[in-house]
Amino acid sequence: MHRQPGNRFCSILPLVLAGAGVGVSAVAFAADTAVVATAAKAGVVHPLDGLTGEEISRVVSILLQAKLTDDKSFFPLIELREPPKADVLAWKEGAPITRRAYVNFKGTAGAREALVNITTGKVEKVGKLAGEPMIMLEEFMSSMQVALDDKRFVAALAKRDLKPDGVFCLPLTAGNFLQQAEKGKRLMRVPCYQNPEGSNFYAKPIEGLFAEVDLNRRKVTQVVDEGVVPLPKQNWGYTEKEIEARGPLKPEGNPVQIVQSAPNFKVAGGGIAWDMWKFRVRADKRPGVVVSAIQAQEGDKWRSVLYQANLSEVFVPYQDPGKAWYWRTYMDSGEYGFGVFLSPLVSGVDCPTNAVFMPAVMHQDNGQPVEIPNAICVFERNPAKPAWRHYEIFAQSETAAVPAEGRPQTELVVRSASEVGNYDYLVDYVFHQNGSINIDVISTGLDAVKGVASKHMSDATAARDTQHGSLIAPNLVAPNHDHYFNFRLDFDIDGQDNSFVHTSLNRGKVDQASLRKSLWVTSPKMIERELEGRLRIDNAKPALYTVTNTNVQGVYGHHPAYAILPKDTVAYGPYDYENDPPMKRNAYIGYSFWNTLYDQDKRYAGGKFAFASDGSDTLATWVKKNRPIKNKDVVTWYTIGFHHVPHTEDWPVMSGHQVGIELRPYNFFASNPAMGIRSTQPAATPAK
């Protein structure tokens, strides 16, 4: 599933590779810290802005000066430590900002965590890590080399007429299956592929063979060899030249272009303003893009909608129980990082040519900052449908035809793309002129494949080979799997004290005298406590899900709210959430909705430490406190997902599969905000 960052792939991931195996030099931080601090402040205008490169360097310098790190130290995580929400909400533009960073590091006393005050230059807290930190590129590279240096592994390759220099390997997180023999170990499992002759690195898996590597000891703990499986012969490249070599390309067409003289939005640092919206954007290593301080304008008043929205976790469990596959149950965000794997977006492919691009600042293994160019794009698009329209038949006459009244729809999209191995995930935050927000995830890239003997479904081996997947090419099966994306939605609808309401649509009672014999009525129920806030989407039980502020009344006495409207998405599967270790670690997928009391330290549904986690610190365990959440600062968690049964059209590169949700105003505005869109048509002459 995940790309090996070996030397031949240096150009693909320069932002992290630059720091792999390179210690932090004390000389590099000998610069005057006052100058560094001034530079850091220059790029920060809001408490929720991301860490600047200067701030990241200063964090490392502070730890070095405190003698907690040296020139051999590594930094799995450096991220903004947000100020308390109350402080952020009380902050006024232009006021001083105290900046802090939360850090995981491997320093002079082992793996530790620290809270670093960037403003004062002090380490405020430091302690031992309570879990395993995120994987680092240095560990990818070392585990790959450890595997290829192992005599047992080299001998297994030789059985297949392969040598170490003829393969590339793919170090993968091993999960945690609660085995005593694995306790306390930091494990990666390393399968390999025959070196590609074209662009597709995944076309020729060396099936049934992998090495298990203990990262702490830098040793192979076991080599698993299930026997030789025929290697696929075809290269399955996906460049235009390679595709054309397999068959003719489509006829050349006229390009469909978006022409815009100038954008209608403004970008100032991390702040974006467009139409009726303003909000802030940053990128963190683990969740990727974080959208904060989302406000909507009604008249001359700016109203709070969301304090923050971000990807919380990505869970991809494969459904093959074989030795080489059962452990492939990845937590892509928590183990690997959606932010550090942001890939530069391409104008005209990933984003339209009218897009404005923004960089993202991440840190390397040695703690040094690096900028990912074009990591985020912001653009307007016309989806070729009206924001609203109405054709009035009664306005027509024999002497005048009155056209439909309507307005063109325009959307603002904030897009990023994270390439976590073979899959590419585009995450869109889409803002509409009617007050709605869409969160969409588009999955594309390459299926993970296993080598098999079968070339055709009529082969004698096909039934066995495809028991847990689909034959998508000769000698290649793509195992069944799921894609789950949990989003953390901290609504602050006109204030922090909100409530989650589950409104079921039930059969209503009808008077016996009525000719109408059935209808439905709404039955709203305000969620009182956290355990009650776990809900599943069931099409057989229609319902409306809203977050509302009962302390505020609109112009007609309604309480302002936003509805969360599921689209074509699933959140759960037929899993054993009590006994299957990967599902215990990711038990949040058992429900579509979760609702918790706001906690600044609870940002990720999979827990603070995802790597080798045991499920004791997750969204599913936090709610056992069953705290009251009615009329409190409630946080809603929603899982977007889909079950992926692969098919031949997925290969060699999968078409984009989009899933998402819509956040739609529900008695929030006095009327349809899109009514104010200016007409692009000449005024109609009313019929006489």
Side-chain angles (χ1 to χ4, degrees):
M1 161 176 171
H2 302 271
R3 183 195 306 278
Q4 169 217 326
N7 291 335
R8 65 179 297 156
F9 309 120
C10 292
S11 62
I12 299 172
L13 202 58
L15 63 153
V16 187
L17 188 62
V22 181
V24 180
S25 170
V27 177
F29 298 106
D32 187 316
T33 56
V35 174
V36 175
T38 301
K41 290 180 180 178
V44 175
V45 297
H46 191 278
L48 299 179
D49 282 351
L51 294 175
T52 66
E54 293 83 1
E55 287 180 319
I56 292 172
S57 294
R58 180 157 163 77
V59 167
V60 178
S61 178
I62 292 167
L63 290 168
L64 184 68
Q65 292 168 3
K67 301 190 184 321
L68 294 169
T69 60
D70 56 22
D71 61 356
K72 298 179 181 179
S73 296
F74 289 99
F75 298 82
L77 180 65
I78 303 174
E79 70 175 9
L80 173 70
R81 170 63 175 182
E82 295 181 357
K85 183 190 278 195
D87 293 352
V88 175
L89 295 174
W91 177 81
K92 302 297 183 184
E93 187 174 350
I97 304 172
T98 299
R99 300 281 282 174
R100 292 180 173 86
Y102 170 71
V103 188
N104 293 170
F105 63 96
K106 294 185 176 182
T108 55
R112 309 184 82 184
E113 63 180 356
L115 182 64
V116 177
N117 190 315
I118 303 170
T119 304
T120 65
K122 302 294 183 183
V123 178
E124 295 184 340
K125 292 181 182 179
V126 65
K128 186 178 179 180
L129 280 181
E132 291 289 338
M134 299 174 69
I135 193 71
M136 294 184 294
L137 183 68
E138 185 276 334
E139 293 176 311
F140 273 110
M141 296 181 66
S142 64
S143 59
M144 178 252 316
Q145 195 59 52
V146 166
L148 292 177
D149 287 343
D150 186 88
K151 293 181 180 179
R152 295 168 293 175
F153 198 71
V154 173
L157 290 175
K159 286 168 54 179
R160 295 157 171 84
D161 297 324
L162 296 170
K163 296 180 179 180
D165 61 1
V167 305
F168 84 94
C169 297
L170 196 66
L172 302 170
T173 51
N176 182 356
F177 288 84
L178 310 180
Q179 299 298 298
Q180 187 62 33
E182 298 176 0
K183 191 174 182 180
K185 295 179 180 177
R186 187 168 168 85
L187 297 177
M188 298 284 281
R189 292 192 172 126
V190 188
C192 297
Y193 295 73
Q194 186 177 19
N195 276 341
E197 298 176 9
S199 58
N200 193 334
F201 288 91
Y202 303 93
K204 298 181 178 182
I206 305 169
E207 193 55 47
L209 173 66
F210 67 89
E212 182 181 85
V213 175
D214 185 342
L215 293 174
N216 292 329
R217 298 168 57 209
R218 304 297 171 103
K219 289 186 177 180
V220 173
T221 57
Q222 64 171 325
V223 173
V224 174
D225 186 351
E226 297 182 283
V228 177
V229 177
L231 282 167
K233 302 298 184 184
Q234 294 172 267
N235 294 324
W236 290 112
Y238 47 80
T239 65
E240 185 171 85
K241 184 178 180 180
E242 292 169 309
I243 296 168
E244 190 171 20
R246 294 196 296 269
L249 300 174
K250 292 178 182 292
E252 188 171 353
N254 297 317
V256 178
Q257 297 179 331
I258 298 175
V259 179
Q260 190 176 27
S261 58
N264 295 305
F265 58 89
K266 295 181 179 179
V267 178
I272 298 175
W274 173 78
D275 197 81
M276 59 183 290
W277 295 103
K278 66 179 180 180
F279 53 91
R280 305 201 70 81
V281 170
R282 73 170 192 262
D284 289 348
K285 178 178 180 178
R286 181 168 174 175
V289 170
V290 178
V291 186
S292 304
I294 301 174
Q295 298 181 63
Q297 188 176 27
E298 185 176 29
D300 58 359
K301 182 180 180 181
W302 284 98
R303 301 175 62 188
S304 170
V305 175
L306 283 149
Y307 181 75
Q308 198 165 79
N310 64 268
L311 182 68
S312 158
E313 189 52 82
V314 179
F315 179 40
V316 186
Y318 283 80
Q319 308 299 311
D320 190 319
K323 287 184 180 180
W325 283 86
Y326 79 89
W327 45 270
R328 302 192 194 206
T329 53
Y330 310 110
M331 298 172 71
D332 279 349
S333 177
E335 293 176 331
Y336 297 89
F338 251 51
V340 73
F341 281 100
L342 286 170
S343 57
L345 298 164
V346 178
S347 178
V349 178
D350 298 316
C351 311
T353 55
N354 64 319
V356 172
F357 292 86
M358 303 169 65
V361 177
M362 294 291 149
H363 65 88
Q364 304 166 66
D365 286 356
N366 66 357
Q368 284 299 282
V370 64
E371 184 177 278
I372 305 173
N374 297 353
I376 301 168
C377 71
V378 185
F379 59 91
E380 293 168 281
R381 69 183 177 198
N382 180 346
K385 56 185 178 182
W388 59 266
R389 62 101 68 185
H390 179 64
Y391 178 78
E392 184 53 74
I393 192 169
F394 296 111
Q396 312 306 316
S397 72
E398 294 181 356
T399 59
V402 180
E405 187 74 18
R407 300 293 183 269
Q409 181 176 343
T410 305
E411 304 167 347
L412 181 77
V413 182
V414 178
R415 173 172 292 169
S416 61
S418 296
E419 189 244 12
V420 190
N422 51 296
Y423 271 114
D424 297 69
Y425 297 112
L426 284 74
V427 180
D428 285 358
Y429 291 88
V430 185
F431 294 84
H432 301 270
Q433 293 168 298
N434 67 352
S436 294
I437 304 169
N438 281 68
I439 302 176
D440 296 321
V441 180
I442 304 169
S443 302
T444 180
L446 283 71
D447 275 342
V449 291
K450 61 182 293 186
V452 297
S454 302
K455 296 182 179 180
H456 191 276
M457 287 303 295
S458 63
D459 292 349
T461 55
R464 183 181 68 250
D465 288 342
T466 59
Q467 186 177 0
H468 301 287
S470 303
L471 185 72
I472 49 91
N475 301 117
L476 287 175
V477 160
N480 301 327
H481 56 285
D482 290 323
H483 300 259
Y484 297 108
F485 311 90
N486 182 271
F487 282 85
R488 176 179 177 270
L489 306 172
D490 182 9
F491 283 97
D492 278 359
I493 309 261
D494 283 331
Q496 291 71 64
D497 292 338
N498 289 179
S499 299
F500 189 88
V501 181
H502 174 217
T503 302
S504 57
L505 276 56
N506 300 319
R507 179 177 292 185
K509 294 181 180 180
V510 181
D511 190 287
Q512 290 185 351
S514 174
L515 294 179
R516 182 68 182 269
K517 300 305 179 185
S518 67
L519 50 77
W520 58 259
V521 296
T522 59
S523 301
K525 178 178 174 53
M526 195 167 293
I527 301 301
E528 300 275 350
R529 291 183 172 272
E530 289 176 317
L531 286 175
E532 189 185 350
R534 303 175 301 175
L535 299 164
R536 288 177 176 169
I537 303 297
D538 184 347
N539 289 335
K541 298 177 181 178
L544 179 68
Y545 308 91
T546 56
V547 179
T548 185
N549 188 334
T550 58
N551 308 293
V552 176
Q553 285 191 358
V555 292
Y556 306 119
H558 299 297
H559 299 305
Y562 259 74
I564 302 172
L565 305 179
K567 291 160 57 175
D568 182 19
T569 179
V570 298
Y572 40 87
Y575 294 121
D576 183 345
Y577 296 99
E578 296 296 326
N579 300 302
D580 190 9
M583 303 312 149
K584 290 181 67 174
R585 300 173 68 208
N586 296 273
Y588 53 86
I589 70 167
Y591 293 89
S592 306
F593 287 99
W594 300 72
N595 289 278
T596 62
L597 193 65
Y598 174 82
D599 185 333
Q600 183 179 357
D601 295 324
K602 306 298 186 186
R603 293 188 63 198
Y604 307 115
K608 187 175 182 179
F609 300 102
F611 190 105
S613 60
D614 61 6
S616 60
D617 174 35
T618 69
L619 178 55
T621 60
W622 306 336
V623 299
K624 291 180 179 179
K625 293 181 179 179
N626 205 22
R627 295 169 295 186
I629 54 175
K630 178 182 176 181
N631 199 26
K632 302 284 187 181
D633 194 352
V634 62
V635 175
T636 299
W637 310 71
Y638 187 89
T639 300
I640 298 168
F642 66 98
H643 304 303
H644 192 167
V645 180
H647 42 92
T648 54
E649 291 86 357
D650 285 344
W651 189 255
V653 179
M654 170 186 169
S655 298
H657 185 119
Q658 181 171 315
V659 291
I661 55 173
E662 179 181 356
L663 312 179
R664 191 176 183 90
Y666 188 79
N667 293 326
F668 185 86
F669 298 100
S671 63
N672 182 356
M675 299 305 294
I677 301 173
R678 293 180 180 270
S679 175
T680 58
Q681 302 298 323
T685 303
K688 296 182 180 180

